[in-house]
């Protein structure tokens, strides 16, 4: 890049909500002067004040979009962190009046990948470059080191490579950022990351439910179990924060806060997009789908309360910690079940990315994607290093399940996994994520499934034809006629 003038910023950022503010301060702290702009001017002043308070960081605030754009070194790079959808289009329209050919726009929001591709084509007509960059890690990640997933014009990535490699989380084998691929690849990978995150969170919630409802573990015992888990194969951000959650006291009453929280989960759409894309690509993703269904069901709080009463009156007892269990054995079994289920969830997510990469010709590097998730992002975990190693061993790996190392671990844990799922079913606790993962594993490992009967049914009622295992070609049978001749119709 050209040397920076004393009067110009190295980069600009628009959108100063929590993520935007923190990312701007992170960039400035890494030594890159940054200009910031927000439609609501008080956010600009707030950010500049924070920059002063946090070490006189080189952040310059602007209340006028033209002055903001002109304050940035050419070729300009501007990050947009506003709400996905029409606000992004409106922001681009505002900025493009002042941007010049060769300048670059980077959308850092959770955007639908096709919108990114549409915008890239639109700004290209004006001579502008475009990146869609997934940013993961929440407000803390944005401030101190996120996982970044930029995709789009390769030349545009070169504009910001020196910045993002310093701003991203740093792990043992480099910064948690890489050029993902062309078009909307960056947004797509971030979307699937969020889908995997849905699966991870659901599986952890199920582990909690089994330990609490069947094992009768107190919040203190749960905190101890999750703390121990975080020192082994399950070491991760989500396991760590879960161990913390069980220890936080309610500031409005007695006991722990977690028990006072309404059991109704929110969502922002990326998990739903992941499941929709899996269906579009004909990729099985039952763990991620189960996590989405569970969020939908959690939203039916009033209906669930009414249903609980109906079924109680019909003879279904409440779930209580009445079953005699060995707590320590249960904790061990649930840990193993959680790990095995987690492998399935990640395998599904990576298969979605691989299938889309093939469809779009993105040539995505699954091992490198796994590597940049090792730090900064919500699903960061030691486990991801194992995934990178699996793809390093075999870049064309059909599924993580058949990597020799992961396959061995699945087999070693399957007895505990089956015990946990069976126990949950026997006492009426839903474990949709673990159950879906186990069914996925059991289906994938079988060389023959009952799909032969499904295909026979399809041919019977719709003449959809079928293939045979012993003779090549496509066949159709007059099933009804033959059944009548056999006197079984």
């Amino acid at each position: 890049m050209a040397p920076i003038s004393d009067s110009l910023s190295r980069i600009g950022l628009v959108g100063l909500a929590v993520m935007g503010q923190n990312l701007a301060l992170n960039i400035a702290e890494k030594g890159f002067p940054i200009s910031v702009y927000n439609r609501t001017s008080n956010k600009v002043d707030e950010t500049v004040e924070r920059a002063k308070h946090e070490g006189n960081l080189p952040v310059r605030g602007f209340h006028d979009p033209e002055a903001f754009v002109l304050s940035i070194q050419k070729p300009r790079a501007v990050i947009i962190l506003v709400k996905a959808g029409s606000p992004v289009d409106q922001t681009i329209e505002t900025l493009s009046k002042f941007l010049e050919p060769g300048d670059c726009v980077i959308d850092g929001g959770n955007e639908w990948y096709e919108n990114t591709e549409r915008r890239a084509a639109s700004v290209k007509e004006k001579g502008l470059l475009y990146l869609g960059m997934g940013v993961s890690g929440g407000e803390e990640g944005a401030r101190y080191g996120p996982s970044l997933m930029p995709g789009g014009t390769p030349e545009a990535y070169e504009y910001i490579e020196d910045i993002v490699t310093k701003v991203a989380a740093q792990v043992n084998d480099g910064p948690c950022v890489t050029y993902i691929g062309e078009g909307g690849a960056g947004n797509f990978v971030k979307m699937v990351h969020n889908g995997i995150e849905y699966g991870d969170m659901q599986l952890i919630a199920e582990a909690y439910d089994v330990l609490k409802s069947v094992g009768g573990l107190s919040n203190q015992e749960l905190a101890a179990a999750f703390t121990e888990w975080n020192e082994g194969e399950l070491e991760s951000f989500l396991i760590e924060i879960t161990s913390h959650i069980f220890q936080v006291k309610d500031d409005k009453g007695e006991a722990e806060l977690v028990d006072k929280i309404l059991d109704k989960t929110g969502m922002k759409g990326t998990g739903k997009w992941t499941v929709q894309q899996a269906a579009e690509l004909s990729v099985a993703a039952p763990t991620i789908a189960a996590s989405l269904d569970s969020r939908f069901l959690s939203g039916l709080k009033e209906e669930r309360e009414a249903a609980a009463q109906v079924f109680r009156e019909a003879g279904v007892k409440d779930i209580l910690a009445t079953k005699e269990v060995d707590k320590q054995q249960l904790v061990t079994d649930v840990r193993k079940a959680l790990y095995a289920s987690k492998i399935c969830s990640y395998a599904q997510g990576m298969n979605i990315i691989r299938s889309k990469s093939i469809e779009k010709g993105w040539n995505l590097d699954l091992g490198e994607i796994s590597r940049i998730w090792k730090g900064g992002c919500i699903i960061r975990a030691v486990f991801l290093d194992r995934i990178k190693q699996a793809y390093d061993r075999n870049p064309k790996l059909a599924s993580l399940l058949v990597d020799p190392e992961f396959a061995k671990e699945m087999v070693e844990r399957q007895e505990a996994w089956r015990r946990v799922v069976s126990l949950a079913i026997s006492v009426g606790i839903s474990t949709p994520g673990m159950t879906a993962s186990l069914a996925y594993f059991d289906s994938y490992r079988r060389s023959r499934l009952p799909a032969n009967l499904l295909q026979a049914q399809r041919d019977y009622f719709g003449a959809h034809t079928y293939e045979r295992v012993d003779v090549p070609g496509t066949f159709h049978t007059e099933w009804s006629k033959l059944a009548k001749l056999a006197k079984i119709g």
Side-chain angles (χ1 to χ4, degrees):
M1 301 297 298
I4 301 171
S5 162
D6 290 340
S7 61
L8 295 175
S9 296
R10 171 64 180 81
I11 193 169
L13 188 146
V14 180
L16 296 172
V18 173
M19 288 292 286
Q21 255 189 47
N22 282 294
L23 187 59
L25 294 170
N26 184 355
I27 292 169
E29 192 170 60
K30 297 304 187 295
F32 300 100
I34 183 169
S35 294
V36 297
Y37 168 73
N38 195 79
R39 194 165 54 86
T40 309
S41 60
N42 68 313
K43 286 289 184 183
V44 175
D45 300 334
E46 183 183 307
T47 306
V48 171
E49 191 59 37
R50 271 192 69 187
K52 288 179 183 175
H53 181 71
E54 296 184 21
N56 286 319
L57 303 176
V59 175
R60 302 166 66 200
F62 292 86
H63 297 159
D64 173 69
E66 182 177 10
F68 162 74
V69 170
L70 295 178
S71 73
I72 304 165
Q73 170 202 357
K74 295 180 184 180
R76 302 180 183 93
V78 179
I79 299 172
I80 298 174
L81 269 169
V82 300
K83 187 177 179 181
S86 59
V88 178
D89 291 307
Q90 291 163 10
T91 303
I92 292 171
E93 184 179 354
T94 298
L95 296 176
S96 61
K97 295 172 185 174
F98 314 111
L99 292 170
E100 300 174 42
D103 291 346
C104 173
V105 176
I106 303 127
D107 178 11
N110 279 329
E111 187 56 89
W112 176 237
Y113 82 98
E114 289 183 340
N115 284 342
T116 295
E117 296 188 336
R118 169 180 59 79
R119 290 174 185 136
S122 175
V123 301
K124 187 177 181 180
E125 295 175 1
K126 301 175 183 177
L128 303 176
L129 308 181
Y130 200 86
L131 285 177
M133 183 172 70
V135 180
S136 180
E139 58 181 288
E140 185 176 340
R143 180 64 183 85
Y144 299 107
S147 175
L148 300 170
M149 293 153 258
T153 314
E155 185 187 350
Y157 180 65
E158 293 175 8
Y159 282 22
I160 61 166
E161 186 172 9
D162 60 329
I163 298 176
V164 294
T165 51
K166 288 188 177 180
V167 165
Q170 307 293 315
V171 292
N172 61 344
D173 51 3
C176 291
V177 61
T178 191
Y179 173 69
I180 298 293
E182 296 184 353
N187 289 123
F188 190 89
V189 166
K190 174 57 164 61
M191 176 198 76
V192 176
H193 162 285
N194 287 19
I196 293 172
E197 180 185 306
Y198 272 49
D200 245 356
M201 294 174 72
Q202 176 63 29
L203 293 170
I204 291 170
E206 292 173 18
Y208 154 66
D209 197 9
V210 171
L211 292 175
K212 182 180 178 70
S213 300
V214 184
L217 272 71
S218 66
N219 287 329
Q220 290 75 24
E221 290 171 317
L222 286 164
F226 275 79
T227 299
E228 182 182 345
W229 289 358
N230 197 48
E231 295 169 356
E233 63 195 9
L234 287 170
E235 181 185 339
S236 65
F237 173 72
L238 286 170
I239 293 292
E240 180 184 11
I241 67 168
T242 303
S243 71
H244 296 166
I245 287 167
F246 292 127
Q247 301 175 61
V248 174
K249 299 293 184 182
D250 180 14
D251 61 355
K252 293 181 172 59
E254 297 179 354
E256 288 75 34
L257 178 59
V258 66
D259 295 326
K260 304 293 176 66
I261 296 175
L262 183 69
D263 54 321
K264 190 172 179 179
T265 310
M267 68 190 86
K268 292 188 176 179
T270 45
K272 180 161 65 173
W273 290 348
T274 304
V275 174
Q276 288 171 335
Q277 277 298 293
E280 289 285 338
L281 294 163
S282 299
V283 173
T287 310
I288 299 172
S291 71
L292 183 65
D293 288 340
S294 294
R295 293 196 183 199
F296 292 153
L297 282 165
S298 79
L300 304 177
K301 177 63 175 174
E302 293 76 15
E303 287 184 41
R304 287 188 288 110
E305 288 180 334
Q309 183 62 33
V310 168
F311 287 107
R312 193 176 296 119
E313 292 171 355
V316 178
K317 295 180 181 178
D318 287 339
I319 298 168
L320 297 170
T322 54
K323 199 172 182 72
E324 288 294 323
V325 294
D326 179 333
K327 279 189 180 182
Q328 192 53 52
Q329 183 62 51
L330 183 62
V331 169
T332 300
D333 281 355
V334 171
R335 172 179 58 79
K336 292 179 178 180
L338 176 56
Y339 185 77
S341 299
K342 184 183 177 85
I343 293 172
C344 291
S345 183
Y346 278 73
Q348 293 160 29
M350 300 313 279
N351 285 351
I352 294 170
I353 292 174
R354 184 187 60 189
S355 294
K356 196 66 177 184
S357 177
I358 292 169
E359 178 190 271
K360 301 286 288 186
W362 285 337
N363 194 31
L364 302 185
D365 184 336
L366 299 184
E368 180 67 357
I369 289 168
S370 304
R371 186 195 68 75
I372 68 167
W373 288 347
K374 284 166 55 178
C377 68
I378 302 302
I379 64 171
R380 62 184 181 266
V382 169
F383 173 78
L384 282 154
D385 205 33
R386 308 282 311 285
I387 295 179
K388 182 184 184 303
Q389 291 166 15
Y391 286 113
D392 285 348
R393 283 190 290 270
N394 181 7
K396 296 183 178 179
L397 188 65
S399 170
L400 287 175
L401 270 61
V402 294
D403 170 75
E405 295 296 321
F406 280 127
K408 182 181 177 183
E409 291 185 330
M410 299 282 282
V411 171
E412 289 172 349
R413 288 159 179 75
Q414 69 163 332
E415 287 187 13
W417 194 6
R418 295 183 194 284
R419 281 197 297 269
V420 170
V421 170
S422 298
L423 176 62
I425 291 171
S426 72
V427 298
I429 292 178
S430 59
T431 52
M434 288 187 183
T435 304
S437 293
L438 183 56
Y440 179 77
F441 169 69
D442 282 336
S443 294
Y444 193 70
R445 69 178 178 79
R446 292 184 65 193
S447 61
R448 185 166 174 83
L449 292 170
N452 56 315
L453 179 58
L454 299 182
Q455 201 59 14
Q457 291 170 332
R458 294 181 72 243
D459 190 52
Y460 192 121
F461 65 69
H464 292 296
T465 74
Y466 58 88
E467 295 176 82
R468 294 178 61 100
V469 297
D470 53 352
V471 181
T474 329
F475 301 87
H476 168 61
T477 295
E478 297 290 340
W479 297 91
S480 179
K481 186 185 295 183
L482 292 176
K484 288 176 182 175
L485 288 173
K487 296 183 179 179
I488 61 169

